[in-house]
Amino acid sequence: MTTRRWLLLGAVGASLVIAGALYGALRRDGPPAGTEIEFVVPSGAALSTISEALGGAGLVGSPFAFSLYARAKGAASDLKAGHYRLVAGMGFGEILDVLERGAVVTLPLTIPEGLTLREIAPRIAGFTGDSVALVRALLEDTAWVARKGLPGPTLEGYVFPETYRFAEGTTADAIIDEMVDRYLAFWGDAERALADSLGLDEREVVTLASIVEEEARVAAERPVIAGVYLNRLQIGMLLQADPTVQYALGEPQARLLFRHIDEVADNPYNTYTNAGLPPGPIASPGAASLRATLEPDEHDFLFFVARRDGSHEFTRTNREHVNAINRIRREPPGNRD
């Protein structure tokens, strides 16, 4: 008799949970179905507290029924804190699924291609609310290099440009960690094989790609520009890349002059005075510039000069290069040809 009584009570309890869930799903005095409602689950909140808050927001008709339902599903202690965007008219199961998964509201954070750590810091700080100085100190902490297995020498070049989505309250450390992981995800066996075929290691590829990123204004020219610099490296010619001098200066100049080059003549990032690639990347290259560097166009160009529209004219000899410069300088400002 005792066993039968407990089985009967269990069946009755299950029926009550189902009935309560149906009641809560059908009886809801609140906003019209489809209305988006901001809902926050505080850290450490008990199921009863969450259920009452859901009822107060008009998301469930019966907080008690929702609590019963969550307990019956074994989810009483699995609801995650955070800021959610729920929709009026969702059933108990849908609400519970969102809260169990922790599918919180996320906000976009965009890191464009070609930014330096100095330029990335304010963007992260604006998202987290930290000071720019604090975020910059985190970005410039060389411990990241060893911790993440990066080729270094710093994080410069390895904070991957992309539009990310993070939950409110995500720390700067966590954001940087995700951005570096996204860089690491770029590299697979195929990419490493391409680097080997060029005779470059990972640091050299990223360094050259960062120069390509800074030089290119027309997407289709990226592999051509990469080919120019690889041709120069192959014959031992100075790269003479203006963006490396701008990086050495610290504060970019609207127009690079010979005196600027002289000011940083001893800086290892000055490719007018130092042979080969600089010690490391000068900005964060995007996937397109990395890909262009790994798969450069094969040609015999050694020079290029920017036209007024940002595209470049590529030439093979210094004489052709000088002629191209003089011709472009004679063009009227409005000429886009």
Side-chain angles (χ1 to χ4, degrees), residues 18-334:
I18 295 170
L22 289 172
Y23 171 81
L26 295 173
R27 181 190 177 281
R28 183 181 288 119
D29 299 324
T35 304
E36 286 192 345
I37 299 172
E38 303 290 321
F39 184 77
V40 177
V41 176
S43 180
L47 174 60
S48 58
T49 302
I50 297 170
S51 300
E52 289 297 330
L54 286 168
L59 287 162
V60 301
S62 169
F64 177 70
F66 181 81
S67 289
L68 284 177
Y69 180 82
R71 292 184 190 283
K73 290 289 186 177
S77 60
D78 294 334
L79 308 188
K80 296 176 175 60
H83 179 187
Y84 295 88
R85 186 171 290 123
L86 302 177
V87 179
M90 293 175 74
F92 281 3
E94 293 173 294
I95 294 173
L96 196 63
D97 176 63
V98 170
L99 300 184
E100 276 191 289
R101 288 188 294 110
V104 297
V105 172
T106 58
L107 301 172
L109 173 57
T110 299
I111 305 298
E113 291 86 350
L115 296 191
T116 63
L117 295 182
R118 178 177 57 81
E119 295 167 318
I120 291 171
R123 289 177 176 265
I124 297 176
F127 186 94
T128 63
D130 294 315
S131 70
V132 174
L134 173 63
V135 175
R136 188 164 178 181
L138 288 173
L139 286 167
E140 292 176 351
D141 184 356
T142 55
W144 287 100
V145 175
R147 187 158 65 244
K148 288 291 187 177
L150 299 169
T154 69
L155 265 189
E156 191 77 87
Y158 308 106
V159 179
F160 203 78
E162 193 172 279
T163 293
Y164 298 85
R165 297 196 69 89
F166 296 106
E168 292 176 349
T170 303
T171 64
D173 267 314
I175 289 173
I176 296 168
D177 192 68
E178 172 66 21
M179 291 176 173
V180 174
D181 282 347
R182 179 63 188 83
Y183 159 79
L184 293 170
F186 172 85
W187 288 92
D189 292 341
E191 287 71 29
R192 298 193 184 284
L194 287 169
D196 288 342
S197 71
L198 294 171
L200 302 177
D201 60 26
E202 182 182 339
R203 179 189 60 79
E204 291 169 330
V205 169
V206 182
T207 299
L208 181 51
S210 71
I211 298 173
V212 171
E213 188 69 69
E214 295 293 270
E215 292 278 22
R217 293 295 176 267
V218 177
E221 290 185 352
R222 287 191 177 101
V224 187
I225 293 172
V228 169
Y229 285 125
L230 285 167
N231 287 345
R232 289 185 178 187
L233 286 172
Q234 189 172 24
I235 64 174
M237 179 179 173
L238 290 172
L239 293 186
Q240 296 184 324
D242 288 0
T244 65
V245 179
Q246 296 276 25
Y247 186 78
L249 288 167
E251 291 294 333
Q253 303 297 315
R255 183 182 177 191
L256 195 66
L257 304 174
F258 286 116
R259 67 176 177 83
H260 294 134
I261 297 172
D262 292 338
E263 284 175 15
V264 289
D266 296 331
N267 191 297
Y269 282 85
N270 186 338
T271 57
Y272 276 83
T273 55
N274 294 280
L277 288 161
I282 60 170
S284 287
S289 290
L290 285 165
R291 186 67 57 193
T293 302
L294 288 170
E295 301 180 62
D297 281 1
E298 292 187 14
H299 53 65
D300 55 359
F301 296 132
L302 287 172
F303 304 90
F304 60 96
V305 58
R307 301 188 182 98
R308 296 186 186 279
D309 64 354
S311 65
H312 293 89
E313 181 167 342
F314 297 88
T315 51
R316 295 168 176 79
T317 68
N318 187 62
R319 185 186 183 96
E320 291 176 349
H321 179 57
V322 171
N323 289 339
I325 292 173
N326 291 333
R327 184 172 60 257
I328 290 171
R329 284 177 177 171
R330 288 194 300 269
E331 291 178 355

